[in-house]
Amino acid sequence: MKHFVLLFILLGCASLAKAQETALYECLYQYEVNGRDKKNQPFSEIYNGILQIGASQAKFQDYTAFQSDSVKQAQPDNAELQKEYDIQVLKNPNYFDQTVYQNLPQGKMTLLGVITPDYYVYAEDLNAISWTWTEDTDTVCGYPCRKATGTYGGRTWTAWYATDIPVSFGPWKLTGLPGLILEAYDSENIHRFSAISFRKAKSAIRPLEADNALTITRDKFVKAKNHFEQDPMKNLPIEAISEMEVRKFGEGVKDGSISINGVPLRLHPNGYVPLELQ
């Protein structure tokens, strides 16, 4: 428990002035999406994400993107190894394409997302969910947790948070409870984030790089994203295409990638199931 007490103290005195914040802990999550495909057959997709927890902020992103960032920090001169990990990002069939910085800037969270062929960035209130606490308890990832419910983005969420880990962060945009959120799922059991490992950190939190991203509001991004992902090939604006790259990595149909103007175009063979409805 001593290291959690130290973390709590650091949270009270840290500043966001650093260009790059040191991560103290990392929580790995499995993100499961359940839905029905175009033939109305049930399907389940598994994504992997990681939450880096610093003294004053946290960052949630796809795990293969985190691995690529870590290699670039640890071996900045090893171009060949960096390329290998960049290819893993492109090859990942279940890539979580939203990177969320929690408490950056202070009191806000910033999302970096993609609607091919552009990247977009927007900020919104950090604690956007009004949680209702309950007395229910459970154990998640080896930690005793309490239950809370709240509504966000048109979905009602149930969250299990660990007060033994006294930070108000969580997976994706799910924040604002007096303990790390280790599990969260919506009322229809379509989306579920489940912690699979909590450990001391090994990498710094890489700063937000949004110089090439277009600034947008949350509402406009969610509406545009949900529309585009229903049929990316149909909704891709032809006039915006200056170059297209198709890469083949193996024999499988899914073992390849498409990039438009250097931005990945990810298709959804099972159909797109949005996290946010509104």
Side-chain angles (χ1 to χ4, degrees):
M1 290 295 295
K2 289 183 179 179
H3 54 291
F4 293 132
V5 173
L6 174 60
L7 173 59
F8 184 75
I9 293 172
L10 287 170
L11 282 167
C13 63
S15 170
L16 278 172
K18 302 176 185 177
Q20 179 169 283
E21 178 157 342
T22 300
L24 303 174
Y25 297 95
E26 299 168 349
C27 190
L28 279 66
Y29 292 86
Q30 177 179 283
Y31 167 47
E32 180 178 358
V33 181
N34 298 295
R36 289 187 173 275
D37 62 20
K38 297 177 181 179
K39 297 181 179 180
N40 202 33
Q41 296 298 310
F43 72 86
S44 180
E45 296 176 343
I46 301 297
Y47 299 71
N48 292 298
I50 184 170
L51 181 71
Q52 292 177 277
I53 302 169
S56 60
Q57 65 179 254
K59 176 184 179 182
F60 184 81
Q61 66 179 143
D62 181 85
Y63 187 66
T64 54
F66 164 77
Q67 289 179 308
S68 178
D69 287 348
S70 297
V71 167
K72 290 171 183 176
Q73 290 185 52
Q75 301 193 44
D77 299 323
N78 193 333
E80 184 175 346
L81 185 61
Q82 291 179 28
K83 182 179 179 180
E84 178 182 331
Y85 276 84
D86 285 341
I87 289 176
Q88 291 301 317
V89 171
L90 292 175
K91 289 173 61 176
N92 186 355
N94 292 338
Y95 180 85
F96 190 81
D97 66 358
Q98 298 184 30
T99 298
V100 182
Y101 286 81
Q102 301 172 10
N103 203 34
L104 182 73
Q106 190 170 6
K108 301 282 186 178
M109 57 183 165
T110 300
L111 181 141
L112 181 64
V114 60
I115 304 174
T116 309
D118 295 301
Y119 288 101
Y120 291 85
V121 63
Y122 68 84
E124 62 179 302
D125 290 340
L126 175 63
N127 298 322
I129 304 175
S130 179
W131 294 103
T132 299
W133 301 357
T134 77
E135 296 300 320
D136 296 335
T137 60
D138 200 353
T139 299
V140 180
C141 201
Y143 291 89
C145 292
R146 291 186 175 275
K147 179 182 176 182
T149 59
T151 299
Y152 177 78
R155 298 189 185 278
T156 298
W157 289 90
T158 293
W160 293 92
Y161 61 98
T163 56
D164 284 351
I165 310 175
V167 297
S168 61
F169 304 125
W172 183 51
K173 298 181 181 181
L174 304 175
T175 65
L177 288 168
L180 178 65
I181 296 175
L182 294 178
E183 185 168 51
Y185 45 86
D186 73 295
S187 57
E188 298 178 87
N189 199 31
I190 296 175
H191 301 277
R192 178 182 293 266
F193 293 92
S194 301
I196 56 177
S197 177
F198 181 77
R199 66 195 187 192
K200 289 186 176 181
K202 300 178 181 179
S203 302
I205 297 176
R206 193 169 185 179
L208 173 66
E209 297 176 354
D211 292 344
N212 297 322
L214 302 176
T215 301
I216 195 171
T217 65
R218 174 199 170 273
D219 291 349
K220 287 184 178 180
F221 178 83
V222 170
K223 184 177 180 179
K225 177 73 170 176
N226 288 349
H227 171 72
F228 176 81
E229 298 293 358
Q230 292 301 321
D231 193 340
M233 294 299 292
K234 176 182 177 181
N235 295 324
L236 184 68
I238 302 300
E239 67 277 7
I241 300 175
S242 59
E243 63 178 49
M244 175 184 290
E245 180 184 41
V246 179
R247 304 180 69 175
K248 191 73 172 174
F249 301 113
E251 299 299 327
V253 175
K254 298 180 181 180
D255 197 12
S257 72
I258 303 173
S259 295
I260 307 296
N261 303 353
V263 179
L265 175 65
R266 300 183 186 274
L267 306 179
H268 307 282
N270 293 320
Y272 180 68
V273 185
L275 262 169
E276 297 165 85
L277 298 175
Q278 58 190 43

